[in-house]
Amino acid sequence: GQSLEQPSEVTAVEGAIVQINCTYQTSGFYGLSWYQQHDGGAPTFLSYNGLDGLEETGRFSSFLSRSDSYGYLLLQELQMKDSASYFCAVRDDSSNDYKLSFGAGTTVTVRA
Amino acid sequence: DAGITQSPRYKITETGRQVTLMCHQTWSHSYMFWYRQDLGHGLRLIYYSAAADITDKGEVPDGYVVSRSKTENFPLTLESATRSQTSVYFCASTKDRTLYTFGSGTRLTVV
């Protein structure tokens, strides 16, 4: 099976930078994804890392190190609308499986 | 409109009743999933499907049944609802197993 660990809460002020770490254990790692979920809403896709390194999409970046079983999501120039829960997720391709397993989520609170 | 839709958005049912949550997607994605979300547990996988007539159990399948007779539909049935099944249920689909798109969710309360 898979297990993922990420911090439960992070608080920061507008304009700041927040890094959400995610460590994972899985038998057949395929890729690490990040999803954002606002209160009462559906999770929405943010980024995917299949290979080591940094992927940048606007104010958000995601990093993966497969040798360390570790990744992070970097939120820059924080805005109030970034207050949400952020989930890391891994796809395990052992036995040609295709399910996506999620961490428990990190609640990011942005203060004025 | 194209997308993935869940119905109903809200449902209250009594313990012991059978209830079915609907999920419909218009993209013809092969892969579909059902998750439940509870405080402190994130998203937990109930059942998933690679194609019509192919389904697999996820992490928490007990008390649930799925079917997939058509690619676009993936209904989830609670055979005899229990209070522990009070949760928010999300359906998701993907074409490439990289980007998963979620429905708006069904908030189910079992009383």
Side-chain angles (χ1 to χ4, degrees), chain B residues 14-25:
Chain B
E14 295 178 338
T15 301
R17 297 264 193 181
Q18 182 180 84
V19 60
T20 296
L21 310 184
M22 304 302 294
C23 179
H24 174 77
Q25 52 106 352

Side-chain angles (χ1 to χ4, degrees), chain B:
Chain B
D1 286 344
I4 182 166
T5 54
Q6 294 184 235
S7 61
R9 284 299 309 275
Y10 302 91
K11 176 75 176 178
I12 300 175
T13 192
E14 295 178 338
T15 301
R17 297 264 193 181
Q18 182 180 84
V19 60
T20 296
L21 310 184
M22 304 302 294
C23 179
H24 174 77
Q25 52 106 352
T26 60
W27 296 301
S28 298
H29 286 173
S30 294
Y31 305 97
M32 296 188 74
F33 308 80
W34 274 106
Y35 290 87
R36 61 177 288 174
Q37 186 173 33
D38 307 288
L39 274 176
H41 288 281
L43 290 147
R44 291 185 292 174
L45 184 63
I46 306 170
Y47 269 95
Y48 55 117
S49 170
D53 298 322
I54 300 175
T55 61
D56 291 285
K57 292 181 180 179
E59 184 186 350
V60 289
D62 293 344
Y64 303 95
V65 173
V66 293
S67 62
R68 193 149 177 224
S69 56
K70 293 183 179 180
T71 300
E72 60 266 30
N73 296 324
F74 192 36
L76 175 74
T77 298
L78 286 68
E79 297 181 292
S80 178
T82 65
R83 288 196 179 88
S84 65
Q85 292 177 309
T86 292
S87 186
V88 181
Y89 291 85
F90 287 101
C91 177
S93 73
T94 183
K95 170 181 147 185
D96 60 6
R97 302 181 293 173
T98 299
L99 192 161
Y100 292 65
T101 303
F102 286 80
S104 299
T106 294
R107 190 173 295 273
L108 177 69
T109 302
V110 183
V111 299

Side-chain angles (χ1 to χ4, degrees), chain A residues 4 6 8 19 39 41 46 48 55 59 62 65-67 81 97 100 110:
Chain A
L4 298 96
Q6 54 182 125
S8 58
Q19 179 172 316
D39 256 356
L46 285 178
Y48 172 81
E55 295 282 342
R59 295 186 295 113
S62 58
S65 169
R66 288 175 295 173
S67 61
K81 66 179 181 180
D97 206 345
L100 196 64
V110 181

